[in-house]
Amino acid sequence: VTRLARDLLYGKRDDAGRAVGASLIFGTALGVVAVVAAWWCYPHLVSEAARRPDPELLCLAFASLLGMIGGAYSALFTAQATVRRVTLLAGITAVTGTAFHVAFLYTAGVPGQFYAPLATGLTTSAAAIWLARDSGIRVRLRWDGDFAREAFRVGAASLIAGAFMQASLTTVRITLDHVGGAAHGTMLNGQYQAALTVGSRYFAVVTSGLGMYFFPRYAAAQGAAELETEIWSAASFVLRLAPPIVLGMLAVRGPLIHLLYTDRIDGAVDILGYQLAGDIAKSVAWVYAGPLVFRGDLRAFLITESIAAASLTGLSVILIHAFGLVGSGMAYAATYLLYMFV
């Protein structure tokens, strides 16, 4: 997205086509590595007695390859800020993904959940290529070593940051299991997961706006003054959009949780209230975290993400033991307030 945004801003369509081609080659190479790893490493990682991996594992590996292809075109649509194409591609992915999961689970049972991503990837990749036919960009398939190194560096930083946060969430779940015991641990975790799921869905409205429009402009900004202008524009957008969405979610969070899940998980309603408060700080923080990634300051990005993960871990353990389930929501709100200032 960084390369594409710069190239498109200055009318360098040939360079943009080479960037898309380089990302396709790089992504395909990673996908091939995933397939080979699934085939050769499976007996050593899973079972010494296994001669070859299950077909389901290979389906997931091939699905990851197709996901790289679809992702390259999705990045092009994002850099072009073509909302219609991005929305249409997301809709196709959601609809076909749901349809394939239902169909394969019904016809093949549990293994169907592994076949569905492969079918979805095939459909989404074909749709992305079709949608890109009138984008004005001619894709040029050439290996670009500089692009590959930068993509790997940014991807590795994102992967590490994601691992930090996943480890933190795992600690929260273990703590809830410990506090709830054998009788209530699963129930507490279910309520926590319900609150997280609902919160992440509505928050996508804010992240989509930042990712589709403002972050590419961060990448294309020439100089500190122009970048500062874009950051202030993004902050203004977030502060206009996030508060009314949060207030609306606060008003309907109870009926929404009960509608989507059950009326017996009032704890999720309480957690979501604290999470909504934290999401205002989180949305502002993302405005300032964006330049760290899109301007290449990955060390600072990893430092801020590790601080957030450590804060969420420590506060969750302390507050869950002190206040029970609702302590996880308190820890979330406090963490993202700290994250915003960091």
Side-chain angles (χ1 to χ4, degrees):
V1 173
T2 302
R3 280 274 299 271
L4 286 169
R6 284 198 295 260
D7 293 338
L8 292 172
L9 182 65
Y10 295 104
K12 299 177 180 179
R13 292 186 173 273
D14 287 342
D15 289 345
R18 281 190 285 271
V20 175
S23 67
L24 283 171
I25 293 175
F26 178 72
T28 301
L30 288 181
V32 170
V33 169
V35 172
V36 172
W39 185 264
W40 291 105
C41 298
Y42 181 86
H44 304 288
L45 296 177
V46 179
S47 172
E48 290 291 342
R51 297 284 181 173
R52 61 182 61 186
D54 294 331
E56 291 83 1
L57 182 61
L58 289 177
C59 284
L60 288 179
F62 277 109
S64 70
L65 189 156
L66 294 169
M68 300 288 185
I69 296 173
Y73 284 99
S74 179
L76 171 61
F77 303 151
T78 298
Q80 289 181 316
T82 49
V83 178
R84 182 183 65 84
R85 290 195 186 100
V86 174
T87 304
L88 188 55
L89 184 59
I92 291 171
T93 303
V95 171
T96 58
T98 302
F100 282 132
H101 271 86
V102 172
F104 280 113
L105 282 172
Y106 182 78
T107 58
V110 173
Q113 65 182 320
F114 300 100
Y115 305 147
L118 178 59
T120 303
L122 285 168
T123 305
T124 303
S125 297
I129 295 172
W130 179 76
L131 288 171
R133 72 194 188 285
D134 58 349
S135 64
I137 302 298
R138 183 182 176 185
V139 176
R140 301 176 182 274
L141 295 175
R142 295 179 183 175
W143 174 259
D144 187 330
D146 291 337
F147 177 90
R149 282 189 292 272
E150 184 64 16
F152 185 82
R153 195 168 71 93
V154 173
S158 299
L159 181 65
I160 293 169
F164 285 159
M165 190 53 63
Q166 188 58 51
S168 180
L169 293 176
T170 299
T171 302
V172 174
R173 294 185 178 99
I174 292 173
T175 305
L176 289 172
D177 272 335
H178 175 73
V179 170
H184 303 292
T186 301
M187 180 189 67
L188 294 180
N189 265 302
Q191 297 195 56
Y192 178 68
Q193 189 61 47
L196 276 184
T197 301
V198 172
S200 64
R201 293 298 180 268
Y202 97 88
F203 195 68
V205 176
V206 176
T207 57
S208 295
L210 289 173
M212 285 181 56
Y213 183 77
F214 289 104
F215 286 170
R217 296 183 70 84
Y218 286 179
Q222 297 295 303
E226 188 174 340
L227 178 60
E228 184 177 353
T229 299
E230 297 297 343
I231 291 174
W232 279 109
S233 296
S236 176
F237 162 79
V238 164
L239 291 175
R240 287 198 306 268
L241 180 66
I245 293 178
V246 167
L247 289 174
M249 285 294 296
L250 279 171
V252 303
R253 70 187 190 281
L256 184 61
I257 289 286
H258 295 157
L259 176 65
L260 294 175
Y261 296 96
T262 173
D263 57 3
R264 292 178 295 177
I265 57 171
D266 288 330
V269 178
D270 296 332
I271 295 173
L272 186 57
Y274 284 101
Q275 286 182 356
L276 290 167
D279 281 341
I280 294 181
K282 183 179 180 180
S283 60
V284 174
W286 279 30
V287 169
Y288 293 93
L292 301 181
V293 178
F294 286 88
R295 303 296 288 192
D297 196 351
L298 298 181
R299 180 180 298 178
F301 170 72
L302 286 175
I303 291 173
T304 58
E305 294 300 307
S306 62
I307 290 173
S311 172
L312 184 60
T313 300
L315 289 176
S316 294
V317 171
I318 294 170
L319 294 176
I320 288 173
H321 279 95
F323 299 101
L325 177 63
V326 75
S328 63
M330 296 177 179
Y332 182 97
T335 291
Y336 282 105
L337 183 63
L338 172 64
Y339 181 61
M340 179 183 70
F341 285 111
V342 172

